[in-house]
Amino acid sequence: MHEGGVSGEHVDVLVIGGGIAGVAAAAALSQLGLEILIIEPASAHGRRLAGELIHPPGIEGLYQLGLLSETASLGAKVHGFAVFPFGKEASGPVVLPYGEGHGRRPFGIAIEHSALKRHLLERVLEFSGVKAWLGARVTGLEETGDRRFAALVRDENGGIRRVGARLILGADGPMSQARKLAGITHATQRYSGMMGVEVDDRHLPNQGYGNIFLNPAGVSYAYAIGGGRARVMFEVLKGADAEDSIRTHLKSFPEDFRRDVERELSVGKPLAAANYCIVPELSVKGNLALVGDARGCCHPLTASGITAAVKDAFVLRDALREAELDVPAALKRYARICGQLQLTRRTLAEELREAFLAETPEALLLSQCIFSYWRSSPLGRQRSMALLSTLDSSHLSLAVQYALVALQAFRLLPHWFKNDAMSAWRKGVFKFLTKSIAFQRAAISERLGHGAFISDL
Ligand SMILES: Cc1cc2nc3c(=O)[nH]c(=O)nc-3n(C[C@H](O)[C@H](O)[C@H](O)COP(=O)(O)OP(=O)(O)OC[C@H]3O[C@@H](n4cnc5c(N)ncnc54)[C@H](O)[C@@H]3O)c2cc1C
């Protein structure tokens, strides 16, 4: 690609952020023979609480991009989830295997986040055409007058350099500066915080599966990350006391494992993170495209942020290839496809979060319907896992699955009748019906290509 009109440094693609999304995109676009510069402020990544569990489509994508290799033994294999319900439902976990349909590698992998990030960045720097400025950060975006941005980069010595690029990727995470500098607004909802520790995996229940424990204090997770270690994360709801919340979460853990976690908590300080839902008004503006969490994120309940970021990379690569490197045409396609994927992912996370926190009788009914569906239907478990893992990103599939889950309300009717809760049951069923129609409408509008999340400068 040749470029005119911008002075100073010049590359085909400037990637703002060397996290998972930035690295995956750099790897994918390097396959098109483009010259790529990654700007990443952290030269040595500190430990941080963030995504570690990658679904099979994400793992397959990382292998295909050459960022993971069969020989490097990283992390621990994950074959699906074991979901522990709360309260009266608590008759053991529901096991949801990834199962069929996941091709050559029907397993996910969980890897300590910083180790994963370090590995991916090191790998991508071996790719032809990819270089990085580590210790540098993007501090400004300037309009160049031809419907494009150029970036101002503060290098590791504090000097400011102007970098022009035909395509700029904002891959700088949920609080994206690139998004802000480009004047793209977003809706934010902060749900809760998350505290996490690493423990010995000896007593981890359901080895080989991601454990999800549900209770009114939020969601907690426990999964192996390799090397005999397991990650445990506890959600702390807005306004709740962290220690009280952790104590409540621990009550749902099997005894031996709980003791291991308590021991770890008594000696170490947990890592912390915040859980947001962020929906930017646009995912493309001029020559800037947002990828990964910068393009939007949701509650980590579906553990799909990394897999979605890897998918962004493929969609972008394929759109550029199809448009023969015509950036505006490719970005239009990228915005449309990724908008659809994100809508399904976000809706699923929202619905599961609402059901599992069960603050209203309708939410409790939905939660019971989900468990009833999973316990009674092997196909239902398979379809749910296809949606959770992003193997199936169709909003229509989500709408169909939601309707099938909602039908379980009739199976649960005698129970609600016996408990004299018919009015709540009716309210719940009415809500499911309304939502089901709304999801089907969204699916139709998605098919018609509405909501492309794109703008010129
Ligand atoms: C508690 C928690 C648990 C999660 N669990 C899961 C899970 O199990 N599975 C899953 O798939 N996802 C999970 N997620 C989501 C997952 O962590 C994210 O989707 C994923 O890390 C997004 O990667 P990213 O590259 O888009 O952003 P980030 O990982 O945030 O990377 C952004 C990069 O941009 C750099 N940067 C920032 N500002 C600038 C700048 N001005 N200039 C240049 N670079 C900059 C940063 O240094 C960073 O390296 C979880 C998230 C949280 C908070």
Side-chain angles (χ1 to χ4, degrees), residues 16-22 39-42 45 48-53 113 117 136-138 171-174 177 194 223 233 273-275 291-294 300 303-307:
I16 306 175
I20 294 157
I39 308 292
E40 170 55 45
H45 302 296
R48 161 185 172 219
L49 192 62
E52 299 180 322
L53 204 153
H113 183 83
K117 211 167 152 179
R137 67 165 54 239
V138 169
D172 50 348
Q177 271 297 304
M194 201 68 106
Y223 48 84
M233 284 194 202
N275 297 325
V291 296
D293 274 15
S304 54
I306 297 173
T307 303

Side-chain angles (χ1 to χ4, degrees), residues 43 77 90 161 167 195 312 328 333 349 359 385 418 434 441:
S43 47
K77 280 188 184 169
R161 293 157 84 170
L167 171 61
M195 312 287 279
D312 286 353
R333 187 172 165 77
E359 281 171 348
M385 281 306 275
K418 208 170 86 196
T434 319
R441 273 203 181 145

